[in-house]
Amino acid sequence: LIGGRKISFNNECCLAETSYTDKNYCLAHDVESGAIAADANIHSIIEFYTQTCNIELTVEDYALFAATLANGGICPETEE
C-alpha cells in the first residue's frame, strides 16, 4: 500500500507499553457492554492495539497509504 517503502516497528517501545496497559483493559471492559462483542478476546484486542500503536511510518508514508486507498488500492507512486 505504500509503494514498497520500509515499515518499521518499535519492539522496545511496544514491550514497555505492554507493562502499563491497565487503563486500556479498564476502558475495554467499560465499553464491552456495547462497542465490543461479548465473546471478544479483550487480551487479544489490547495486544493488537498496542502493537499497531508502535508501527513507525512517516507522514509521507501515511499520505501515500491514504492515497492508495483512495485510488481503489492502486499505489499512485508505483501504479501497482
Side-chain angles (χ1 to χ4, degrees):
L1 290 171
I2 60 171
R5 295 177 184 204
K6 183 181 178 190
I7 297 175
S8 298
F9 179 78
N10 190 330
N11 193 52
E12 184 179 341
C13 187
C14 184
L15 291 173
E17 284 183 26
T18 302
S19 67
Y20 57 87
T21 57
D22 297 342
K23 288 181 184 178
N24 289 338
Y25 280 102
C26 289
L27 289 170
H29 284 289
D30 251 3
V31 298
E32 186 176 23
S33 59
I36 299 175
D39 61 344
N41 183 329
I42 299 291
H43 179 74
S44 293
I45 292 169
I46 299 298
E47 185 177 316
F48 179 72
Y49 169 76
T50 304
Q51 290 172 354
T52 58
C53 288
N54 288 285
I55 294 172
E56 296 179 332
L57 297 171
T58 66
V59 172
E60 290 83 10
D61 293 337
Y62 280 112
L64 186 56
F65 186 89
T68 300
L69 293 176
N71 196 31
I74 298 175
C75 178
E77 215 172 62
T78 63
E79 298 299 322
E80 291 181 10

